[in-house]
Amino acid sequence: MGVYISGGVSGGHINPAITLAMAILGRLPLEKVLFYWTAQYLGAFTGAAVVYGVYYDALNAFDGGNRQIDGAQGTAGIFATYPKSFLSWQSGLGDQIVGTAILGMLVLAITDKRNSNVHSSMIPVAVGAVVAGIGMTYGFNCGFAINPARDLGPRTFTAMAGWGSAVFSYRNFNWFWVPVVGPYIGAIAGAWLYQVFAGIHWPEFPAAELDVKDLQEDVHRKLQPEKQSVDYAQVENEYVAEFSEESF
């Protein structure tokens, strides 16, 4: 939903790690990164506050107003991610790097017009399917944050809403940073992997997409009743220029 709402204005990243990867690849001006990050983290914080307000009575009914992180009445995991008891921070970091690398690769593949050329109206659906797939396959260990804002924003809110500083000191401060650092590393790695193994190998204008002959015939058919002449070289140049524009 967030991509549908903001996609036409900002590209709908809604993920600071993806924003950084796009900036490194030159698809987003570096001076805009901090503005994107600010909006993304504040948005996640606000989203957590909305959820808390909607389910406030349910939370009180469940834990009696005594907010706990884990255990039988633990509820902090509703908002931020926490690892299973067997998971080390090293494995958790690897989990987040791999999961977000997959997300980064697929985001670039989906939005690459030289690849499958997914229609813009279907990009949010495709990205949502990718996130759902990552959740089903990589969610067991620690909840598949794969988005620093999605974890740190709500975690900060819970620290202020009754769960206290323990949401950061959990495991002796040896967890809260994992779902923040891991996704940044993973998104950058995934984006570069896509570029190295796919993105830089496309011909500049694939014949499958740049069918100038069809364009010429279409223009000729439309203008024939008026007997107007057409500069096909100019038409081809305009079509090539339009196709070559990058967008996300």
Side-chain angles (χ1 to χ4, degrees):
M1 291 185 289
V3 179
Y4 268 121
I5 293 169
S6 62
V9 177
S10 65
H13 299 178
I14 62 174
N15 186 332
I18 297 298
T19 295
L20 180 60
M22 290 295 171
I24 289 174
L25 292 179
R27 300 191 180 189
L28 179 74
L30 284 173
E31 60 268 21
K32 291 186 177 182
V33 170
L34 287 179
F35 294 100
Y36 273 61
W37 283 357
T38 300
Q40 289 156 349
Y41 280 103
L42 287 177
F45 181 94
T46 303
V50 171
V51 170
Y52 181 79
V54 170
Y55 289 101
Y56 180 77
D57 290 341
L59 287 167
N60 285 338
F62 180 73
D63 63 14
N66 181 25
R67 304 291 186 246
Q68 301 174 46
I69 293 177
D70 51 17
Q73 291 183 308
T75 50
I78 295 172
F79 300 91
T81 63
Y82 293 87
K84 289 286 200 284
S85 59
F86 57 80
L87 190 72
S88 66
W89 71 262
Q90 293 92 337
S91 294
L93 184 64
D95 176 287
Q96 290 301 293
I97 292 173
V98 171
T100 318
I102 294 172
L103 176 63
M105 283 190 287
L106 268 295
V107 165
L108 284 182
I110 291 167
T111 58
D112 190 345
K113 289 184 176 181
R114 301 163 300 174
N115 198 333
S116 299
N117 196 19
V118 178
H119 192 275
S120 60
S121 65
M122 292 302 297
I123 288 176
V125 175
V127 173
V130 170
V131 173
I134 294 172
M136 288 186 284
T137 52
Y138 288 95
F140 181 71
N141 280 335
C142 52
F144 79 104
I146 62 173
N147 182 334
R150 168 262 178 275
D151 193 90
L152 185 59
R155 191 181 300 275
T156 303
F157 173 80
T158 55
M160 301 167 59
W163 284 266
S165 61
V167 299
F168 290 103
S169 62
Y170 187 78
R171 287 194 172 185
N172 295 318
F173 296 95
N174 216 13
W175 178 257
F176 80 92
W177 58 270
V178 171
V180 176
V181 175
Y184 280 116
I185 298 172
I188 295 169
W192 277 109
L193 283 172
Y194 178 81
Q195 288 297 95
V196 169
F197 291 103
I200 63 175
H201 300 289
W202 295 110
E204 188 175 0
F205 304 112
E209 296 298 335
L210 188 59
D211 197 337
V212 177
K213 182 179 178 181
D214 285 348
L215 177 66
Q216 291 174 344
E217 292 177 352
D218 183 59
V219 172
H220 181 70
R221 184 174 59 255
K222 290 179 179 178
L223 296 181
Q224 182 139 9
E226 291 81 7
K227 304 296 183 181
Q228 299 182 32
S229 60
V230 180
D231 185 346
Y232 287 117
Q234 180 180 354
V235 171
E236 179 176 346
N237 289 336
E238 291 176 353
Y239 187 53
V240 168
E242 180 181 354
F243 176 82
S244 64
E245 291 180 355
E246 292 287 343
S247 64
F248 172 62

